[in-house]
Amino acid sequence: MKNRMQDLDFEQTVAFDRVEDFEFTRKAVQRFRQVVSLEGFEDEDADVIFHYLYKEMELVSFGDHLKRYIYERAGLEEPFADVTQDIYRDIVIESFHETCTPKSMKPTSTKLTSLVNNWLTQASVKRETVFLLGFGLRMSADDVSDFLTRVLREQDFDFHNPEEVIYWYCYFKQYGYHKAEELKNRYSGLEPDENYTEASKVFSGGLCLDSEEKLFQYLAYVKAGTDDPMSEKSQAFQEFCRLLNRAKEIIASMYQGDEEEKERGKVWKVSDISDSDVEKVICSGIPVNKMGNLKKMSASILAKHFSQKRFSRQRINSIMNHKFPVERFDLITLEFFIVSQEMQDDDPYSRYRHFLEEIQAILHKCGMSEIYIVNPYECFLLMCLLTDCPLAVFADIWEMSYEEM
């Protein structure tokens, strides 16, 4: 494996035109290469990966990303490590005043100074905080998109949500917060229109909203409710269903290969595989309580690393019933499971490359950003793929994360 580490080149897929991307990503890539090149990686892979995640991996917070963004935008010349928080705070406050951006989108008695200090130190923030900062810091639409997808690890602008469409338009045109409020008020009195002539472009990525006239033609279509963001029309939902079905096919094949099942003469089909079966196979390393449910995420010492998410039967059920939106976590986890099983006898490097090619295409199709190695969970899956038994290592590390408490 060592002689191929130079080929694990994330720099080829990451644009380093911004300081914050370059610094965080470069560090993560360097450490990734060092860990998978260690002498004991092949023989003690689970222990090596767990130690790195728990003891060594740098958790890059929302506040870290925000500081790096401000550092570059403000053109600060002193070394990044020497810039104190009060400098960042003052820059943000001044920018909010200059752009006439309110301190919150909802009524609050908290002072702007306190809010800014929180933003600069938080591990994560709500989606609406990113939108507010977009106005307060005069971000471009691309900047806000990066914060949504790479920093919060959520979906990009939701073009089925009228507020987010309006926000995107304002960032695109470099309009301020009050213009967005004006457009939102105008939307409230808008007549719905199902017969939008450009509807086909919504899913093909060819939608062009470069004028208020085009914006409101599209918003009238959104208001008609023709495209429910949680419906089967959602590209992410379609991909999720496709991957989930393939995962169930693999699990059915696993069960079919079991000696006891062969003796019973049962033929396992996809329809026989429940959400509980999917949870049991993918989350096999996570202990369960007396009720048969996965133990609480808070009991894992890697809870922060993995953003409080597990691929539980409850999560699957909520997505299928349109109670939860499909997130990148869901797509990445399913694709990891599929590749780990379909290519379990392949060379680890080939498996790793195939996964990257497949998942990057899926994420792009769903309007989500590419695999981001700074994200601990995504880094974890990539390391597992470079082991001889990815799913077993995946399970071992989850199990270790509960035993250490």
Side-chain angles (χ1 to χ4, degrees), residues 353-371:
R353 274 295 177 196
H354 179 77
F355 170 81
L356 274 181
E357 289 171 6
E358 292 276 316
I359 196 60
Q360 305 293 36
I362 291 169
L363 293 173
H364 177 72
K365 192 187 297 184
C366 297
M368 300 176 183
S369 63
E370 293 185 334
I371 287 288

Side-chain angles (χ1 to χ4, degrees), residues 131-376:
F131 292 133
L132 187 69
L133 283 164
F135 290 112
L137 298 178
R138 291 193 188 91
M139 288 186 186
S140 68
D142 286 344
D143 289 342
V144 177
S145 175
D146 275 350
F147 269 89
L148 292 173
T149 61
R150 299 184 68 183
V151 182
L152 292 193
R153 301 193 284 277
E154 293 184 2
Q155 74 178 90
D156 208 339
F157 286 98
D158 182 356
F159 273 78
H160 300 92
N161 180 319
E163 280 195 355
E164 296 198 14
V165 174
I166 289 170
Y167 292 155
W168 176 89
Y169 178 77
C170 289
Y171 302 134
F172 174 67
K173 290 286 191 178
Q174 284 293 282
Y175 294 149
Y177 178 84
H178 295 289
K179 177 65 174 180
E181 288 296 294
E182 175 193 317
L183 295 176
K184 284 161 65 175
N185 289 333
R186 184 176 159 190
Y187 170 81
S188 63
L190 188 65
E191 288 294 323
D193 180 10
E194 295 181 5
N195 303 312
Y196 181 59
T197 58
E198 303 290 306
S200 62
K201 294 183 178 179
V202 177
F203 297 106
S204 66
L207 192 64
C208 178
L209 305 178
D210 57 1
S211 69
E212 281 192 30
E213 181 184 5
K214 292 179 181 178
L215 171 69
F216 278 93
Q217 285 174 351
Y218 175 66
L219 287 173
Y221 171 67
V222 172
K223 198 167 190 178
T226 308
D227 291 335
D228 183 338
M230 305 279 260
S231 77
E232 282 76 5
K233 288 189 176 183
S234 161
Q235 186 65 56
F237 186 81
Q238 290 179 31
E239 287 297 317
F240 178 83
C241 291
R242 180 182 68 81
L243 293 171
L244 181 61
N245 187 69
R246 179 61 190 129
K248 287 185 175 183
E249 288 176 350
I250 291 171
I251 293 170
S253 179
M254 283 179 172
Y255 287 2
Q256 195 64 53
D258 185 88
E259 290 301 322
E260 289 185 14
E261 295 301 316
K262 286 180 181 178
E263 290 178 11
R264 287 175 55 200
K266 178 175 174 63
V267 177
W268 284 89
K269 300 178 298 226
V270 172
S271 57
D272 298 324
I273 305 301
S274 67
D275 295 342
S276 294
D277 290 309
V278 178
E279 175 192 274
K280 185 170 71 173
V281 173
I282 295 181
C283 299
S284 63
I286 302 175
V288 296
N289 58 26
K290 293 178 181 178
M291 301 297 291
N293 294 315
L294 299 179
K295 282 195 174 180
K296 290 182 178 180
M297 186 69 196
S298 56
S300 167
I301 58 175
L302 295 178
K304 288 183 179 179
H305 299 66
F306 297 163
S307 301
Q308 302 283 341
K309 293 186 180 75
R310 285 98 53 88
F311 205 70
S312 66
R313 62 183 186 273
Q314 292 90 345
R315 183 176 184 86
I316 297 168
N317 183 264
S318 293
I319 291 172
M320 295 305 293
N321 289 316
H322 310 298
K323 293 178 182 177
F324 286 177
V326 175
E327 297 182 23
R328 62 188 286 113
F329 163 84
D330 306 302
L331 301 174
I332 292 168
T333 302
L334 279 171
E335 180 65 17
F336 164 79
F337 171 71
I338 292 166
V339 172
S340 74
Q341 297 309 293
E342 289 184 339
M343 301 183 69
Q344 58 184 325
D345 296 326
D346 286 57
D347 171 66
Y349 177 80
S350 300
R351 184 195 307 130
Y352 164 94
R353 274 295 177 196
H354 179 77
F355 170 81
L356 274 181
E357 289 171 6
E358 292 276 316
I359 196 60
Q360 305 293 36
I362 291 169
L363 293 173
H364 177 72
K365 192 187 297 184
C366 297
M368 300 176 183
S369 63
E370 293 185 334
I371 287 288
Y372 189 34
I373 200 169
V374 178
N375 179 343

Side-chain angles (χ1 to χ4, degrees), residues 38-95:
L38 290 171
E39 291 274 341
F41 185 76
E42 290 185 16
D43 297 326
E44 302 172 13
D45 40 26
D47 291 324
V48 170
I49 295 172
F50 179 79
H51 178 83
Y52 171 64
L53 290 171
Y54 182 45
K55 298 288 188 180
E56 298 179 16
M57 187 171 198
E58 179 184 3
L59 297 183
V60 184
S61 69
F62 174 84
D64 293 330
H65 280 285
L66 182 58
K67 288 174 183 175
R68 179 63 68 176
Y69 178 81
I70 296 167
Y71 178 86
E72 186 207 14
R73 280 287 305 276
L76 300 179
E77 296 182 356
E78 54 265 68
F80 179 70
D82 294 345
V83 182
T84 56
Q85 181 161 313
D86 59 324
I87 293 175
Y88 291 118
R89 182 196 63 215
D90 292 345
I91 290 172
V92 174
I93 291 173
E94 183 180 355
S95 184

